[in-house]
């Protein structure tokens, strides 16, 4: 294990890993979130860190296991959104903080691979950039791989760090689908200034803006 616990002597349970901790790392790379978790563990428990075991590597192994079989599901409305752009010939990219190995495990799900990944013109992962979200690097690289100006791009995000990344990259629009565990007040305070539209249920809400006004979503939302 990555840590040895002495007070209490057992590792923390799922209930110890609170939403307050979780929301502070959503959307970030393992290089960044592992530092946050390390600080949280050290300040909450009496632990000894095993330097020969990587917390990030252990988590990525666990995540790969979670990606096996048919348990993996796309976010509601995501496939419809991808299809909308694909049918119009608009280039798309995935810019994820995950490493490529995790992406490849997700692609083993044939349904999701065919519905989403195979319709991407570029896939950019966290291990391909010097700085992860909220830095702009990953979206700037995605735009570069698509051979488009980032200022003509729309960013779709579900995390504060991701929205900050898209905003600092100077994307034309940043649209968000915040985790449902956020309180309404948090949705407003955290996403209000960094996204142009925060969906409440699923990505189909964004799709409605596209279909209501043809291709003119820029003016529709702004």
């Amino acid at each position: 294990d990555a840590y040895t616990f002495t007070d209490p002597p057992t590792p923390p349970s799922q209930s110890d890993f609170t939403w307050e901790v979780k929301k502070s790392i959503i959307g970030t790379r393992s290089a960044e979130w592992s530092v946050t978790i390390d600080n949280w563990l050290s300040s909450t428990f009496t632990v000894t860190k095993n330097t020969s075991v990587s917390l990030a590597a252990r988590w990525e192994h666990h995540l790969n296991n979670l990606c096996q079989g048919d348990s993996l599901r796309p976010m509601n409305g995501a496939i419809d959104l991808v299809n909308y752009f694909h049918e119009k010939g608009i280039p798309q990219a995935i810019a994820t903080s995950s490493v490529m190995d995790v992406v490849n495990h997700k692609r083993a799900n044939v349904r999701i691979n065919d519905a989403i990944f195979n319709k991407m013109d570029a896939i950019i992962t966290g291990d391909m950039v010097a700085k992860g979200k909220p830095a702009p690097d990953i979206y700037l690289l995605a735009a570069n791989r698509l051979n488009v100006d980032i200022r003509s791009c729309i960013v779709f995000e579900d995390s504060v760090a991701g929205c900050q990344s898209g905003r600092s990259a100077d994307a034309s629009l940043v649209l968000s689908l915040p985790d449902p565990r956020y309180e309404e007040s948090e949705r407003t305070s955290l996403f209000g200034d960094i996204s142009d539209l925060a969906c409440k249920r699923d990505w189909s809400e964004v799709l409605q803006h596209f279909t209501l006004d043809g291709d003119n979503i820029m003016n529709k939302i702004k």
Side-chain angles (χ1 to χ4, degrees):
D1 290 340
Y3 299 88
T4 300
F5 293 83
T6 55
D7 185 21
T10 56
S13 64
Q14 184 67 32
S15 61
D16 294 313
F17 187 58
T18 64
W19 171 235
E20 290 299 315
V21 179
K22 171 66 175 175
K23 69 183 179 183
S24 69
I25 64 174
I26 293 177
T28 60
R29 299 186 306 179
S30 58
E32 286 78 36
W33 66 249
S34 59
V35 174
T36 301
I37 295 302
D38 183 66
N39 291 336
W40 170 70
L41 288 172
S42 299
S43 64
T44 309
F45 305 92
T46 301
V47 298
T48 301
K49 187 174 182 179
N50 183 353
T51 57
S52 66
V53 179
S54 166
L55 177 63
R58 287 293 301 274
W59 167 247
E60 286 164 6
H61 175 75
H62 175 65
L63 188 58
N64 287 341
N65 289 335
L66 292 176
C67 293
Q68 302 299 315
D70 296 326
S71 60
L72 197 63
R73 294 285 185 272
M75 296 177 73
N76 290 336
I79 290 178
D80 290 337
L81 203 59
V82 168
N83 284 338
Y84 180 87
F85 290 115
H86 182 70
E87 290 169 359
K88 290 184 174 294
I90 298 173
Q92 304 177 78
I94 288 175
T96 174
S97 293
S98 297
V99 297
M100 185 60 78
D101 184 54
V102 172
V103 170
N104 288 335
H105 275 78
K106 291 180 180 179
R107 298 193 71 169
N109 184 305
V110 175
R111 176 174 174 269
I112 293 179
N113 188 54
D114 290 344
I116 296 180
F117 289 103
N118 280 348
K119 294 177 181 176
M120 295 295 125
D121 298 279
I123 297 176
I124 310 301
T125 56
D127 48 347
M128 297 169 65
V129 292
K131 295 181 180 179
K133 302 173 185 179
D137 303 37
I138 198 164
Y139 281 114
L140 292 173
L141 180 57
N144 179 267
R145 293 292 176 87
L146 293 177
N147 196 29
V148 297
D149 189 329
I150 185 63
R151 292 171 294 182
S152 68
C153 293
I154 302 174
V155 165
F156 299 89
E157 267 291 347
D158 63 352
S159 70
V160 171
C163 288
Q164 292 171 332
S165 176
R167 183 65 77 209
S168 60
D170 203 21
S172 178
L173 285 175
V174 177
L175 311 181
S176 63
L177 178 58
D179 190 292
R181 288 172 290 184
Y182 281 111
E183 298 288 342
E184 187 61 35
S185 59
E186 290 180 313
R187 293 168 59 90
T188 301
S189 62
L190 295 176
F191 290 88
D193 294 333
I194 57 176
S195 66
D196 298 286
L197 173 69
C199 300
K200 293 186 176 181
R201 298 179 305 278
D202 57 58
W203 284 121
S204 64
E205 296 171 52
V206 172
L207 192 60
Q208 292 171 8
H209 285 278
F210 281 93
T211 55
L212 281 172
D213 201 34
D215 296 328
N216 200 17
I217 190 173
M218 306 295 184
N219 294 331
K220 189 67 182 180
I221 293 181
K222 286 189 172 181

